[in-house]
Amino acid sequence: MSWGFLRDILSGVNKYSTGIGRIWLAIVFIFRLLVYVVAAENVWKNELKEFECNIRQPGCENVCFDHFFPISQIRLWALQLIMVSTPSLLVVLHVAYRESREKRHKKKLYKSPGSMNGGLLCTYLISLIFKTGFEIGFLVLFYKLYGGFNVPRLVKCDMRPCPNTVDCYISKPTEKKVFLYFVVVTSCLCIVLNVSELSYLIFKYSIKCCLEIYDKKVQTMKSECQKLKYIEPDGIASTALFHSNASPVLVHMPDKPESNLPTDLREG
């Protein structure tokens, strides 16, 4: 199987990723894709032929193999690699959309088509959520299909057309178990990296938005203070209301004339 398309997708999204995202890409390339192509694929190469039961009943071995391995473990691993890498294509497509939009309008619409902001940030966060979901989903699928992350040496089968319960032997169980544990460990590591990157981006841009809102409020308050400080009646600026050193004005209230007083008070 050719994995060139997957390599192109991951290398294309590498330049738009954060530091944590680049670590994730390195793990997918080195510890998952290369290990699959170089070593793991050969371990499961002839698994049906090497699956043996202690009976020669026609069709018994095929039915028992299908019962214990409804999906080949190595093919499920390959499907997992494809599914967890494909969401990164969303980021590449979004950047390509920005570039084509600038060409169509023949002007600069973005600071940089690959700058992590606005819609591209949302696309990147969605791709992280999808990757994490696929990783968790495939781990659960591995566990449910094969009854855990173990590869037994011997399984007992009583499926028809087997005449009775027969013993069936799985080839290279220890080697397969090691690779299966390797799949689980690398998947868990990728989940941790995806969740860390998701948390980092949300925290970073939440702080950035809060600071922008705070700066806007500060600017608004400053402009309101300037309006209160500089009052312009008839176009002349004056600050007398705020900076006057004059003494307070004493207002003298004249006494009321005696003629207005009652008679008894005048006489007294």
Side-chain angles (χ1 to χ4, degrees), residues 13-208:
V13 78
N14 181 52
K15 54 187 175 182
Y16 310 121
S17 302
T18 63
I20 301 174
R22 291 188 177 92
I23 296 173
W24 178 87
L25 287 169
I27 290 174
V28 171
F29 265 123
I30 299 171
F31 296 104
R32 301 182 76 171
L33 187 57
L34 288 180
V35 169
Y36 175 91
V37 173
V38 174
E41 200 170 17
N42 293 326
V43 175
W44 277 270
K45 192 171 184 179
N46 298 313
E47 54 180 335
L48 179 58
K49 292 181 181 179
E50 295 173 352
F51 184 82
E52 295 183 355
C53 298
N54 60 357
I55 193 172
R56 295 302 175 190
Q57 178 72 23
C60 181
E61 287 185 353
N62 289 338
V63 170
C64 290
F65 181 84
D66 183 68
H67 175 70
F68 290 106
F69 300 100
I71 300 175
S72 175
Q73 291 174 333
I74 195 66
R75 290 185 179 89
L76 191 60
W77 188 0
L79 183 61
Q80 181 187 16
L81 282 174
I82 294 171
M83 295 302 292
V84 300
S85 303
T86 303
S88 300
L89 184 61
L90 294 173
V91 180
V92 179
L93 291 175
H94 197 128
V95 175
Y97 164 75
R98 283 184 167 187
E99 292 174 347
S100 65
R101 193 161 176 259
E102 283 188 344
K103 289 180 181 178
R104 188 169 64 251
H105 290 84
K106 296 180 179 179
K107 62 180 180 180
K108 193 76 173 175
L109 299 175
Y110 308 97
K111 184 178 180 181
S112 172
S115 58
M116 193 66 67
N117 54 28
L120 186 59
L121 175 63
C122 294
T123 302
Y124 196 87
L125 294 177
I126 290 170
S127 70
L128 288 175
I129 293 170
F130 273 115
K131 286 190 286 188
T132 306
F134 284 134
E135 293 280 14
I136 296 172
F138 273 97
L139 284 179
V140 173
L141 190 60
F142 264 105
Y143 188 86
K144 293 290 185 181
L145 283 177
Y146 309 119
F149 301 111
N150 187 34
V151 181
R153 299 174 184 274
L154 172 68
V155 290
K156 294 185 178 292
C157 179
D158 56 356
M159 305 292 293
R160 292 185 179 183
C162 300
N164 50 31
T165 301
V166 298
D167 296 333
C168 298
Y169 301 90
I170 299 173
S171 65
K172 307 172 186 175
T174 304
E175 193 173 9
K176 289 179 179 178
K177 187 189 300 184
V178 170
F179 277 108
L180 196 57
Y181 286 164
F182 186 81
V183 171
V184 174
V185 170
T186 53
S187 294
C188 291
L189 183 58
C190 286
I191 290 171
V192 171
L193 289 172
N194 286 331
V195 173
S196 300
E197 187 176 15
L198 186 64
S199 303
Y200 165 74
L201 288 174
I202 291 174
F203 177 77
K204 177 184 176 181
Y205 285 96
S206 297
I207 294 297
K208 185 179 179 181

Side-chain angles (χ1 to χ4, degrees), residues 223-248:
S223 62
E224 289 178 355
C225 288
Q226 292 293 331
K227 289 179 182 178
L228 290 173
K229 186 176 180 181
Y230 297 102
I231 302 172
E232 301 181 358
D234 299 328
I236 301 173
S238 173
T239 58
L241 291 176
F242 297 95
H243 300 284
S244 176
N245 294 321
S247 301

